[in-house]
């Protein structure tokens, strides 16, 4: 059987997973594909590092040129992560006429335009299924299964760490720090966990999905991003009492000729299917004009699921290289790119959850509601939780009808300056 030679760049968690998958399922793959993908070389920093896997040490090299200059290697898997040297290696691989598979969301979300243009110019293949949602085939779903649809929206729980933290806080009464520690111990978090908890990892992922869904390149820097660091257990509980679960959601929506792209904590009604996505699971809720709603769900990180996605791309790369199968989607897609604009969050209307911290005395609510009225914000319901004992304040939780973000920001700025308000108001948007 003909062998297809592969070069791996990086042998961390994902690289090891790819090696193990190919070792275990090679016959199965060969039977299905008709070719045998074989790892010929693996780029590592340290040749002498002890590794928890049985592997021929001759496979390792610390010289990228041994892979790039090898004419036998037709597919390169970039599993290093980060921007450099990953980007440089990807571009050099295209230059050498090699197909590229990457699991690197940051490089695509921040330098995607250059990489895509290079890939197109050199007529090469770029597989990036593992960059978003680990093993969940969301890229293929958008690229292939839903190709006939105009995509109206994608709503995703795209970060396992934050989903795990929010689930554990609510269900097990943990505070934020305790839950984060657990997520790190379980290996879900990025090396720098602030990428997870500040929503940056989610912004990278939704930027990639939005570019695919809408055919224009939207860098992660254009994604409105809020994380979960400020979330307190009491808000998760109050929301639950009102019939909502708080999730960190990533949104990419197209309405008329404008695109909304944002990441922020969101209250979801307990009846919504996304509330059943717990712990480190990810999900993508996609709406297309003919398909309607689709939900795909699974493990968004980890050695095995991510390796599963990388190998799926390796097979696509083989089909491209050996069988001349053209990839479904090229970049850029839309000829009228310049007509598509992003809608700033200030222009979007939401229903809101507010938690005011206020002194417990007559007239406080009328001061707050007076300011809300001034900005045309209509109250749907309000509850004061408890009664102030001595010094301090009480939480007053309010739900609003739909209102523009711009008005809410102005109103809360004024409310936070009231002498009866003791700390900044908490604000969450509600998924309608
Ligand atoms: N840190 C990421 C997460 C890993 O928690 O989802 C996968 O991208």
């Amino acid at each position: 059987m003909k062998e297809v030679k592969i070069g791996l760049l990086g042998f961390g968690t994902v690289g090891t997973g790819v090696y193990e998958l190919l070792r275990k399922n090679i016959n199965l793959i060969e039977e299905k594909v008709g070719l045998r993908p074989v790892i010929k070389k693996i780029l590592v920093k340290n040749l002498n590092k002890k590794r928890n896997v049985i592997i021929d040490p001759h496979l390792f090299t610390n010289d990228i040129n041994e892979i790039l200059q090898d004419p036998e290697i037709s597919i390169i898997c970039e599993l290093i992560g980060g921007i450099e040297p990953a980007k440089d290696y990807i571009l050099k691989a295209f230059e050498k006429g090699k197909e590229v598979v990457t699991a690197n969301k940051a490089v695509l979300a921040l330098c995607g335009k250059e990489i895509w243009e290079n890939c197109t110019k050199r007529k090469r293949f770029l597989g990036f299924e593992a960059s978003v949602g680990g093993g969940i085939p969301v890229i293929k779903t958008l690229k292939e299964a839903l190709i006939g649809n105009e995509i109206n929206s994608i709503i995703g729980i795209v970060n396992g760490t934050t989903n795990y933290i929010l689930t554990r806080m609510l269900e097990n009464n943990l505070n934020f720090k305790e839950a984060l520690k657990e997520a790190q111990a379980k290996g879900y978090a990025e090396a720098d966990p602030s990428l997870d908890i500040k929503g940056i990892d989610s912004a990278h992922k939704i930027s990639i999905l939005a570019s695919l869904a809408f055919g224009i390149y939207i860098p992660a820097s254009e994604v409105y991003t809020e994380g979960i660091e400020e979330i307190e257990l009491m808000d998760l509980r109050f929301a639950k009492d009102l019939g909502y679960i708080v999730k960190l959601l990533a949104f990419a929506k197209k309405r008329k000729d404008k695109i909304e792209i944002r990441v922020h904590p969101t209250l979801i009604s307990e009846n919504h299917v996304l509330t059943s996505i717990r712990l480190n699971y990810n999900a993508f809720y996609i709406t297309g004009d003919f398909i309607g709603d689709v939900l795909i769900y699974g493990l968004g990180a980890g050695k095995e699921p991510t390796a599963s996605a990388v190998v799926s791309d390796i097979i696509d790369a083989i089909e491209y290289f050996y069988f001349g199968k053209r990839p479904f989607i090229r970049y850029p897609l839309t000829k009228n790119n310049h007509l598509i604009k992003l809608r700033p969050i200030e222009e979007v209307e939401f229903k809101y959850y507010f938690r005011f911290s206020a002194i417990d005395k007559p007239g406080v609510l009328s001061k707050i509601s007076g300011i809300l009225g001034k900005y045309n914000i209509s109250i749907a319901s309000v509850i004061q939780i408890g009664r102030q004992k001595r010094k301090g304040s009480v939480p007053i939780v309010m739900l609003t009808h739909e209102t523009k973000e711009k008005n809410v920001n102005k109103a809360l700025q004024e409310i936070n300056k009231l002498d009866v308000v003791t700390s900044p108001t908490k604000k969450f948007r509600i998924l309608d």
Side-chain angles (χ1 to χ4, degrees), residues 105 131 133-134 158-162 188-190 196 201 205 282 300-302:
K105 58 212 152 185
S131 66
V158 301
N159 181 272
T161 303
T162 46
Y188 306 145
E190 298 294 304
D196 298 296
D201 177 78
K205 291 168 178 165
N282 285 198

Side-chain angles (χ1 to χ4, degrees), residues 13 67 85-86 137 172 218 224 266 363 393:
T13 309
I67 296 177
N172 303 84
I218 306 170
Y224 173 84
T266 312
S393 58

Side-chain angles (χ1 to χ4, degrees), residues 74-133:
S74 51
I75 299 168
I76 288 195
C77 293
E78 184 278 302
L79 308 172
I80 304 170
I83 306 297
E84 289 297 356
K87 185 181 121 189
D88 181 46
Y89 294 166
I90 292 173
L91 297 179
K92 284 197 172 123
F94 288 147
E95 201 183 303
K96 292 281 172 202
K98 300 184 192 302
E99 319 308 335
V100 175
V101 171
T102 179
N104 188 335
K105 58 212 152 185
V107 81
L108 293 176
L110 300 172
C111 317
K113 193 164 189 288
E114 188 184 349
I115 292 173
W116 273 113
E117 283 173 356
N118 210 285
C119 173
T120 311
K121 189 174 93 192
R122 301 202 182 267
K123 295 194 169 55
R124 301 274 44 103
F125 171 89
L126 176 67
F128 53 104
E129 184 65 69
S131 66
V132 181

Side-chain angles (χ1 to χ4, degrees), residues 149-164:
N149 285 259
E150 174 162 14
I151 302 297
N152 304 120
S153 74
I154 302 170
I155 305 176
I157 296 174
V158 301
N159 181 272
T161 303
T162 46
N163 202 36
Y164 181 86

Side-chain angles (χ1 to χ4, degrees), residues 34-311:
L35 292 170
R36 192 175 176 87
V38 172
I39 295 171
K40 185 173 178 195
K41 276 280 165 208
I42 304 173
L43 179 75
V44 291
K45 264 199 211 142
N46 180 357
L47 291 174
N48 302 317
K49 187 173 165 181
K50 261 202 161 295
R51 300 174 196 276
N52 288 333
V53 60
I54 302 161
I55 183 164
D56 175 0
H58 295 106
L59 285 180
F60 294 121
T61 173
N62 55 10
D63 177 7
I64 181 69
N65 289 319
E66 262 197 59
I67 296 177
L68 288 174
Q69 310 288 355
D70 186 337
E72 245 199 355
I73 293 179
S74 51
I75 299 168
I76 288 195
C77 293
E78 184 278 302
L79 308 172
I80 304 170
I83 306 297
E84 289 297 356
K87 185 181 121 189
D88 181 46
Y89 294 166
I90 292 173
L91 297 179
K92 284 197 172 123
F94 288 147
E95 201 183 303
K96 292 281 172 202
K98 300 184 192 302
E99 319 308 335
V100 175
V101 171
T102 179
N104 188 335
K105 58 212 152 185
V107 81
L108 293 176
L110 300 172
C111 317
K113 193 164 189 288
E114 188 184 349
I115 292 173
W116 273 113
E117 283 173 356
N118 210 285
C119 173
T120 311
K121 189 174 93 192
R122 301 202 182 267
K123 295 194 169 55
R124 301 274 44 103
F125 171 89
L126 176 67
F128 53 104
E129 184 65 69
S131 66
V132 181
I136 309 169
V138 61
I139 305 280
K140 273 213 162 156
T141 301
L142 284 170
K143 278 202 312 191
E144 298 180 17
L146 302 184
I147 190 91
N149 285 259
E150 174 162 14
I151 302 297
N152 304 120
S153 74
I154 302 170
I155 305 176
I157 296 174
V158 301
N159 181 272
T161 303
T162 46
N163 202 36
Y164 181 86
I165 291 173
L166 294 174
T167 310
R168 291 286 289 159
M169 282 174 76
L170 179 67
E171 295 182 7
N172 303 84
N173 283 332
L174 300 188
N175 66 34
F176 178 80
K177 274 194 180 153
E178 290 168 329
L180 170 61
K181 232 182 177 177
E182 275 192 12
Q184 283 179 291
K186 286 182 177 283
Y188 306 145
E190 298 294 304
D192 171 5
S194 68
L195 292 175
D196 298 296
I197 61 181
K198 287 184 191 298
I200 300 166
D201 177 78
S202 300
H204 288 163
K205 291 168 178 165
I206 199 70
S207 131
I208 295 170
L209 295 184
S211 301
L212 256 185
F214 306 130
I216 61 164
Y217 175 63
I218 306 170
S221 52
E222 298 282 343
V223 180
Y224 173 84
T225 308
E226 278 177 30
I228 65 162
E229 304 137 288
E230 304 288 318
I231 294 185
E232 290 174 45
L233 181 54
M234 87 163 100
D235 290 307
L236 302 186
R237 291 230 191 93
F238 292 153
K240 174 97 168 83
D241 292 343
L242 293 165
Y244 296 98
I245 301 290
V246 182
K247 297 277 182 196
L248 183 69
L249 295 187
F251 295 85
K253 288 189 174 189
K254 192 168 167 200
R255 281 193 245 182
K256 298 196 179 128
D257 56 352
K258 285 205 175 154
I259 290 171
E260 286 167 31
I261 178 157
R262 48 194 162 83
V263 170
H264 51 75
T266 312
L267 266 65
I268 319 177
S269 160
E270 272 186 303
N271 305 325
H272 197 290
V273 64
L274 282 175
T275 60
S276 60
I277 314 303
R278 296 169 56 256
L279 297 167
N280 57 320
Y281 277 84
N282 285 198
F284 302 86
Y285 190 85
I286 304 172
T287 308
D289 59 350
F290 275 67
I291 185 79
D293 298 334
V294 177
L295 179 74
I296 33 177
Y297 153 87
L299 284 172
K303 184 164 84 171
E304 287 91 1
T306 312
S308 158
V310 170
V311 171

Side-chain angles (χ1 to χ4, degrees), residues 411-431:
L412 293 187
Q413 242 182 24
E414 263 185 51
I415 288 169
N416 288 341
K417 283 187 196 144
L418 290 173
D419 53 1
V420 293
V421 170
T422 54
S423 46
T425 303
K426 293 282 182 178
K427 166 188 97 178
F428 294 98
R429 301 169 190 91
I430 300 176
L431 177 69

